[in-house]
Amino acid sequence: MIAADSQRTVLATAAERLLAQNNTYGPGELVLTISVLFFSLIMLKDVFRKWVAFPGIIIFAIAVIGGILMPILGVAYLWWWAFFFIWLIAVGIKPGQLSAI
């Protein structure tokens, strides 16, 4: 029975470690949100329409708020990714139109 208890302890520790890894706001997401902000600010001065640039700035704010509230929300903080994908599609439409000209 002692071996079973020690194995359970090892498995429980490994499971806790995996959960702790999944509950961190990684640097990759921070870099992504900052790049969305920079691209959006650049788009305000370029050929992109403002209706494409402003949502990128809002997405940055939503992602930062989601990262701050991540300990409370858990995995639900990922809802900002839905807005990011919609913005990404809107951004991708304009270069497609420019190459057709």
Side-chain angles (χ1 to χ4, degrees):
M1 201 54 132
I2 294 173
D5 288 338
S6 65
Q7 289 175 345
R8 283 188 202 140
T9 304
V10 168
L11 288 175
T13 304
E16 288 291 327
R17 184 173 180 187
L18 285 173
L19 286 173
Q21 275 184 324
N22 290 333
N23 289 330
T24 58
Y25 193 70
E29 291 185 20
L30 181 63
V31 170
L32 176 67
T33 57
I34 291 172
S35 66
V36 167
L37 177 66
F38 285 150
F39 282 127
S40 297
L41 293 174
I42 291 169
M43 279 191 256
L44 288 173
K45 298 178 184 179
D46 205 6
V47 295
F48 286 89
R49 296 199 170 128
K50 295 193 186 317
W51 67 267
V52 177
F54 284 124
I57 297 168
I58 294 168
I59 288 169
F60 171 76
I62 290 172
V64 169
I65 291 169
I68 292 169
L69 295 177
M70 193 183 84
I72 298 167
L73 299 174
V75 182
Y77 86 98
L78 292 173
W79 54 270
W80 72 270
W81 279 84
F83 296 110
F84 172 68
F85 285 126
I86 293 168
W87 176 79
L88 199 58
I89 291 169
V91 169
I93 289 172
K94 187 65 177 182
Q97 291 172 347
L98 291 175
S99 66
I101 295 175

